[in-house]
Amino acid sequence: MDFRDMPPELLLAVASAALSFGLVQTLRLTWRRAWQRRRLSRCREQGAAGEARAEALLRELGYTIVGRQVAVSYGVQIDGEPVSVGLRADYLVAHGPRRYVAEVKTGRLAPRIDTPATRRQLLEYRVAFDVDGVLLVDAESRRVRSVVFPLPAGAAAASPYGARLAWVLAAVVGGLVAAMAARSAG
């Protein structure tokens, strides 16, 4: 069938329908993008306000703010190849001699430890940072919770701090043994 054989009214109706469909889709996508930008902006504002409330709460509870938006990188291996992973925590805090990573959460689900994304994030912080523990700060309910993960027995020795301490102790013991051997030989 040739377009020239079709009635002009039908061609006009098909063109109008296609144009209307295209216009509706364009408006729908434009609205969706604007809604997503607005939603992300509100989440950022809520997060920033939550972090400010959390910092005040941590100070009230006797924590000292050591750093904000603290970045660290740690190494993992994939098929034997080393890969560096970057990570950023909301706060690094101290309470007496102990240091913690404090993660601030807002909303209904994020501050809950049974939320998989939150739990995994805190576990990664515990592995990556050289700290004594991890704190989950619910900025809206003003709660600070200490989260302890059941790490394998060798995990503490595998931390950079533990490894450095072991090497220092080994050097001191080795030096003492060498000094005692030199005295008894001389």
Side-chain angles (χ1 to χ4, degrees), residues 81-144:
E81 295 294 319
V83 176
S84 181
V85 177
L87 192 59
R88 181 177 306 274
D90 291 333
Y91 291 101
L92 184 60
V93 299
H95 196 269
R98 300 179 60 93
R99 292 173 4 124
Y100 301 90
V101 170
E103 177 61 21
V104 179
K105 294 295 183 186
T106 58
R108 190 173 57 83
L109 296 176
R112 296 172 46 138
I113 195 65
D114 60 347
T115 301
T118 297
R119 186 176 56 252
R120 290 181 187 121
Q121 182 181 22
L122 295 177
L123 179 58
E124 185 178 24
Y125 287 166
R126 181 63 183 99
V127 170
F129 283 84
D130 185 17
V131 293
D132 297 303
V134 192
L135 303 174
L136 176 58
V137 182
D138 184 341
E140 293 171 356
S141 71
R142 295 183 44 86
R143 286 186 73 182
V144 177

